[in-house]
């Protein structure tokens, strides 16, 4: 490889590393403290996965020699800002934020930086500010897998009539999931093989909001549709409640995401067709590693980046696994994410 290109590549890599360290300055772990203190500001604990995220991250960070302070904002932006302010006051060495509203948390990041505290945007992107690092799963691929599962089942010579339930408009991930779904659907919609008969965004990812959307779709079109493209398991559960009331559960194909226990049980029973498993064990491990490095002002390597409207945020991207009835045992059970008995015989003592 010509020396000049090698030089450019090395200096780029160095800039990512050095850039991160210098940007925050500050001494890192405050002198008085033996163990780094990491602040975790969460949007919600409403979905099962966030409880798992919290517990696994806390355990792994503690095992790696850090202490963790956790705050949960229950989907309220003002509360989440107060949570971050209180963590800053407690002089955390690094902050991990799971934003309820990616744009609203830009202010929180700016406050943290004024205090010399680096910020890791976890799972969901914080937009419109200079955030230090973003760790997440491949959200666009989540949407592509969900849509492809449905388009692989378009009846021969037929058409797929679809209800689409997007996530919370405040969540940048909901837009990335939709983008992935659109990547697969658009050409087939143009070819007349897919028809979207109803679509809407589920406020705060609430199952009850997804149920209302499905009820509205049935009121408008009757039972004349083949599938519900639900963006996560919570909204899938809400849609399936509406379908059950109409005797359509198991007849209409429903997608999901997160591999919640309830969703895996529905997949085993046949009322939900698929979900996307996001191994929380792997992302929580990475989260602890990266948060600790930020707290100790150690270099962090991020191979990818994503524009957030203010900058290209260094990004660490983890992979995901599609789950159906056929591979429940080889995925979520084998990983110990759920017990076989809980998934397949939920009501057995
Ligand atoms: C998304 C997250 C999903 C899902 C949803 C609802 O941001 O990536 O896993 O849980 O929030 O909380």
């Amino acid at each position: 490889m010509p020396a000049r290109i090698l030089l450019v590549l090395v200096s780029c890599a160095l800039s990512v590393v050095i850039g991160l360290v210098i940007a925050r300055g500050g001494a890192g772990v405050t002198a008085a403290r033996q163990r780094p203190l990491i602040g975790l500001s969460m949007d919600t604990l409403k979905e099962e996965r966030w409880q798992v995220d919290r517990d696994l991250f806390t355990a792994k960070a503690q095992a790696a020699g850090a202490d963790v302070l956790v705050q949960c904002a229950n989907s309220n932006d003002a509360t989440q800002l107060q949570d971050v302010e209180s963590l800053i006051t407690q002089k955390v060495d690094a902050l991990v934020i799971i934003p309820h509203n990616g744009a609203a948390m830009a202010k929180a990041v700016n406050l943290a930086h004024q205090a010399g505290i680096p910020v890791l945007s976890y799972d969901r992107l914080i937009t419109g500010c200079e955030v230090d690092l973003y760790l997440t799963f491949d959200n666009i691929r989540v949407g592509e897998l969900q849509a492809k599962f449905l388009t692989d089942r378009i009846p021969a010579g037929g058409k797929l009539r679809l209800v689409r339930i997007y996530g919370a408009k405040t969540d940048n991930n909901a837009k990335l999931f939709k983008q992935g779904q659109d990547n697969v659907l658009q050409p087939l919609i143009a070819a007349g093989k897919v028809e979207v008969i109803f679509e809407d965004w589920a406020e705060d990812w609430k199952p009850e909001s997804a149920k209302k959307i499905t009820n509205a779709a049935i009121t408008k079109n009757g039972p004349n549709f083949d599938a519900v493209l639900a963006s996560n398991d919570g909204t899938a559960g809400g849609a399936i409640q509406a379908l059950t009331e109409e005797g359509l559960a198991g007849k209409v194909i429903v997608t999901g995401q997160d591999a919640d226990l309830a969703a895996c049980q529905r997949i085993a029973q046949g009322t939900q067709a698929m979900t996307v498993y996001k191994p929380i064990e792997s992302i929580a491990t990475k989260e602890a590693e990266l948060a600790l490095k930020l707290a100790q002002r150690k270099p962090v390597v991020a191979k990818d980046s994503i524009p957030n409207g203010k900058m290209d945020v260094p990004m660490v991207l983890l992979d995901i696994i599609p789950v159906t009835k056929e591979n429940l045992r080889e995925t979520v059970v084998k990983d110990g994410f759920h017990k076989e008995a809980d998934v397949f015989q939920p009501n057995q003592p």
Side-chain angles (χ1 to χ4, degrees):
M1 180 187 286
R4 189 174 53 71
I5 295 176
L6 190 59
L7 193 62
V8 171
L9 286 177
V10 170
S11 60
C12 286
L14 271 177
S15 67
V16 170
V17 177
I18 296 169
L20 272 170
V21 177
I22 292 178
R24 274 333 110 219
V29 183
T30 44
R33 204 178 276 143
Q34 293 311 311
R35 299 162 59 89
L37 181 61
I38 298 167
L40 172 60
S41 165
M42 305 186 74
D43 159 23
T44 179
L45 287 164
K46 180 170 89 265
E47 281 82 20
E48 188 180 283
R49 69 146 294 179
W50 300 120
Q51 297 151 30
V52 179
D53 280 281
R54 175 201 55 196
D55 299 345
L56 283 178
F57 169 64
T58 304
K60 289 175 186 301
Q62 286 169 343
D67 293 316
V68 179
L69 295 176
V70 181
Q71 299 262 11
C72 182
N74 298 318
S75 299
N76 180 297
D77 296 334
T79 304
Q80 191 159 27
L81 191 57
Q82 284 158 8
D83 289 350
V84 169
E85 286 169 336
S86 118
L87 290 168
I88 291 171
T89 308
Q90 296 174 74
K91 298 200 174 328
V92 295
D93 301 301
L95 260 173
V96 176
I97 300 179
I98 309 169
H100 167 249
N101 179 324
M105 282 302 106
K107 189 168 180 209
V109 172
N110 296 337
L111 288 173
H113 287 172
Q114 281 157 26
I117 299 171
V119 179
L120 170 62
S121 186
Y122 180 74
D123 193 81
R124 299 171 175 175
L125 184 62
I126 300 170
T127 56
C129 64
E130 295 208 356
V131 67
D132 298 276
L133 193 56
Y134 178 38
L135 168 63
T136 192
F137 290 104
D138 189 339
N139 299 303
I140 291 176
R141 190 153 174 274
V142 168
E144 289 169 349
L145 288 171
Q146 292 169 325
K148 183 137 185 355
F149 180 87
L150 296 179
T151 57
D152 286 350
R153 288 158 180 76
I154 296 176
K159 182 159 76 169
L160 185 79
R161 294 160 304 169
L162 198 50
V163 173
R164 297 185 69 178
I165 303 178
Y166 310 120
K169 276 190 177 156
T170 54
D171 180 357
N172 189 68
N173 280 354
K175 295 169 186 139
L176 297 174
F177 302 144
K178 181 180 184 300
Q179 187 185 329
Q181 295 164 1
D182 291 345
N183 291 350
V184 173
L185 293 176
Q186 288 313 343
L188 294 162
I189 291 170
K193 291 194 175 319
V194 170
E195 182 194 355
V196 177
I197 59 129
F198 200 88
E199 59 186 326
D200 204 347
W201 299 77
E203 193 213 335
D204 278 345
W205 291 98
K206 290 180 186 150
E208 54 270 31
S209 174
K211 182 173 184 302
K212 282 198 196 107
I213 294 169
T214 311
N215 287 140
I218 293 169
T219 306
K220 182 168 171 260
N221 304 277
N224 308 315
F225 54 93
D226 309 292
V228 175
L229 180 45
S231 295
N232 81 334
D233 290 337
T235 53
I240 290 164
Q241 268 179 355
L243 294 172
T244 304
E245 288 167 5
E246 303 289 330
L248 295 171
K251 296 187 185 108
V252 171
I253 311 170
V254 180
T255 64
Q257 171 189 186
D258 290 334
D260 290 359
L261 179 56
C264 293
Q265 291 165 340
R266 290 192 296 261
I267 291 171
Q269 288 151 13
T271 55
Q272 183 169 331
M274 66 85 73
T275 186
V276 177
Y277 171 40
K278 305 163 83 166
I280 307 296
E281 177 80 27
S282 63
I283 198 170
T285 305
K286 199 67 182 172
E287 181 190 5
E289 177 205 322
L290 295 175
L292 208 60
K293 281 188 174 165
L294 287 179
Q296 296 164 330
R297 304 295 184 274
K298 286 187 178 158
V300 172
V301 176
K303 287 204 312 304
D304 298 295
S305 69
I306 184 170
N308 76 343
K310 176 83 177 182
M311 64 178 287
D312 282 343
V313 180
M315 175 171 67
V316 176
L317 209 52
L318 302 183
D319 209 357
I320 49 184
I321 302 158
V323 171
T324 64
K325 198 170 186 167
E326 285 66 42
N327 70 344
L328 275 167
R329 287 186 175 82
E330 294 76 35
T331 54
V332 292
V333 173
K334 183 161 154 277
D335 264 17
F337 196 62
H338 298 307
K339 295 196 186 70
E340 180 159 2
D342 294 342
V343 171
F344 290 95
Q345 298 99 22
N347 309 320
Q348 298 308 312

